[in-house]
Amino acid sequence: MSKKPGGKTNPLAAAERADRNRKILIQVGVAVVLVGLIAAIGIGIAVKNADKNDLGATPSIAAAASQLPNGAAATITDNGAVRIGKPDAKVTVRVVADLQCPACKAFEAANAQVIKDAVDKGTAIVEYNIISFLDKASTTKYSSRAANAAYCVAEADPSKYLGWLSTMFEQQPAEGSAGLSDDQLITIAKGVGLPDSVGQCIKDNSYNKYIGAKTKDMLTSGIQSTPTVFVNGKQLQSSQELMVPGGLAPAIAAAAGQ
């Protein structure tokens, strides 16, 4: 097919082409902007999730310190509990407590010796989840600082942990006060035989983020108050078992089949 010599361009077709090109450019521009927004949102979500999942420094007990007298061992469990006892013990006692909690102090006064005796005899393993939901009960976030000290003590010398815990409850500060200072926490730790190195760990408050995350985990798992005590996974509800001196002993004996 031949073209007419000297033919002119159709102005209507040229306008349509120009309009089509403008639409394509606009669509491409919108697509680029959308891709950028999606990428930015994705990065923002990733950063938030990373921050949410960041537990900070994670406490652990070195292998050299984990072997205790009489064949007992010490570890820190995935849920943040300090676990102490002989591996073949038939009973596991799990205690969720806050070092600022008066009821926890009463439980400890009633049953600390029962727990220690059961661990020493190889009857029971004890797991202490020390949490920090009572930070508002002091002016210095004492619950969190005390929970941090609990990990510092467990790392430094877990053989001293149960004795330290009893002493901490004996010296529990009143609710609404400033709580014990870091220097006082260090004095208590050294008083039960912990090395000087524990002092820096307490002052650094290194496990604050970890404690916050584990406390939240405890509360979302159904823990509603402290102390919450389990024997072989069964929660104890009776005040006779929790608050009467030696009240925990029958529950441990029954679980051990004694």
Side-chain angles (χ1 to χ4, degrees), residues 101-214:
C101 159
C104 298
K105 177 179 180 178
F107 169 79
E108 186 71 13
N111 290 295
Q113 192 61 50
V114 170
I115 292 173
K116 184 179 184 304
D117 289 345
V119 170
D120 289 344
K121 292 175 182 177
T123 305
I125 290 171
V126 66
E127 296 179 353
Y128 272 100
N129 283 109
I130 302 299
I131 62 174
S132 62
F133 83 110
L134 286 176
D135 269 341
K136 292 183 179 179
S138 76
T139 58
T140 62
K141 294 188 175 180
Y142 173 71
S143 288
S144 287
R145 293 189 298 106
N148 177 75
Y151 287 120
C152 295
V153 169
E155 286 186 320
D157 187 350
S159 70
K160 304 291 195 303
Y161 186 81
L162 296 182
W164 170 85
L165 201 61
S166 292
T167 303
M168 284 289 289
F169 278 120
E170 288 169 3
Q171 299 191 36
Q172 184 184 81
E175 289 184 293
S177 69
L180 302 177
S181 68
D182 287 347
D183 286 339
Q184 288 173 307
L185 292 176
I186 293 168
T187 297
I188 291 172
K190 289 183 178 181
V192 298
L194 273 299
D196 290 345
S197 60
V198 76
Q200 194 60 51
C201 179
I202 290 173
K203 285 186 175 181
D204 287 346
N205 203 21
S206 300
Y207 301 121
N208 184 61
K209 207 169 193 179
Y210 179 86
I211 290 161
K214 293 305 177 183

Side-chain angles (χ1 to χ4, degrees), residues 3 19 27 45 50 55-56 67 83 87 95 110 146 170 182 196 200 202 220 232 244 252 257:
K3 296 181 181 179
D19 185 57
Q27 290 171 350
I45 291 173
L55 298 181
Q67 299 306 307
R83 177 182 171 93
V95 182
E170 288 169 3
D182 287 347
D196 290 345
Q200 194 60 51
I202 290 173
T220 56
N232 281 358
V244 173
I252 293 175

Side-chain angles (χ1 to χ4, degrees), residues 210-234:
Y210 179 86
I211 290 161
K214 293 305 177 183
T215 297
K216 184 177 180 180
D217 289 345
M218 290 295 107
L219 298 179
T220 56
S221 73
I223 300 297
Q224 298 179 345
S225 62
T226 54
T228 299
V229 182
F230 303 87
V231 173
N232 281 358
K234 180 182 178 181

